[in-house]
Amino acid sequence: MKKLLFVLLAGLFLAGCSQTEVAETVADVWEEPVLAAPKEVRLELPGEAVACAMESDTGRLYLGDGYEVMVQTLPGGDLDATIRSLTGFNREDITVMQTRSEEPTRWEFAWAAAGERGERVGRGVVLDDGTYHYCLSVLQDADDDDCQIIWSEVFSTFSLC
């Protein structure tokens, strides 16, 4: 009788120790996570004859007399790749300064490059909101003394709406 009682109690206690099944589902199609829509940028371009030469989903190219202005929205995350895309240089090869620490983070840089008509000077800004990189870059002929544009004023107007 004691053995039977012991076996019944052991069976009762062990019956509560069953493991629950864990299931995992696998889909045949990769589903990209939905990102937030990019924000609008605000920019006041110079009053000179600036014509929009090209426009795409991710940016615009404006042509002026001796300079080009490019405004782009790129995927965020890899600042090095964004700077390489804008300048052709690695981040370590140019000086990149973080000029604003609150949202959005603002990165500024400048570079020089060879062009068809001689040396060119470039300046760029990247606004990083954590999801996208909002980029403004300007390339201008280095020996263009006739240009009356004050680029610091143009770059100061570049912000997110």
Side-chain angles (χ1 to χ4, degrees):
M1 183 72 173
K2 286 183 182 182
K3 290 181 185 180
L4 183 61
L5 183 61
F6 180 70
V7 172
L8 286 174
L9 285 175
L12 182 66
F13 288 128
L14 292 176
C17 296
S18 66
Q19 183 178 1
T20 59
E21 273 190 48
V22 177
E24 180 178 343
T25 59
V26 178
D28 290 339
V29 179
W30 174 258
E31 293 183 21
E32 290 287 331
V34 178
L35 295 176
K39 298 176 183 172
E40 294 290 324
V41 295
R42 187 179 78 81
L43 175 65
E44 294 178 20
L45 291 174
E48 290 184 5
V50 176
C52 184
M54 291 190 327
E55 185 172 354
S56 70
D57 293 339
T58 61
R60 291 187 190 120
L61 175 67
Y62 298 94
L63 296 177
D65 188 27
Y67 65 90
E68 295 96 37
V69 177
M70 187 177 316
V71 180
Q72 292 178 289
T73 302
L74 301 173
D78 190 359
L79 183 63
D80 296 337
T82 299
I83 291 174
R84 192 171 33 260
S85 168
L86 295 173
T87 65
F89 291 99
N90 290 325
R91 184 176 175 184
E92 299 82 31
D93 298 335
I94 60 175
T95 302
V96 179
M97 299 183 309
Q98 181 179 353
T99 59
R100 187 184 309 155
S101 59
E102 70 270 358
E103 288 292 323
T105 306
R106 185 178 179 103
W107 302 91
E108 296 193 32
F109 46 91
W111 71 97
E116 293 177 3
R117 297 181 301 232
E119 295 246 346
R120 307 211 70 198
V121 178
R123 181 174 174 186
V125 170
V126 175
L127 299 177
D128 184 0
D129 70 352
T131 306
Y132 293 99
H133 288 159
Y134 304 92
C135 310
L136 169 64
S137 60
V138 173
L139 267 175
Q140 179 181 2
D141 294 335
D143 58 351
D144 187 9
D145 297 331
D146 298 336
C147 186
Q148 299 296 318
I149 300 170
I150 302 173
W151 289 112
S152 59
E153 292 177 5
V154 174
F155 278 85
S156 68
T157 64
F158 185 62
S159 62
L160 299 179
C161 297

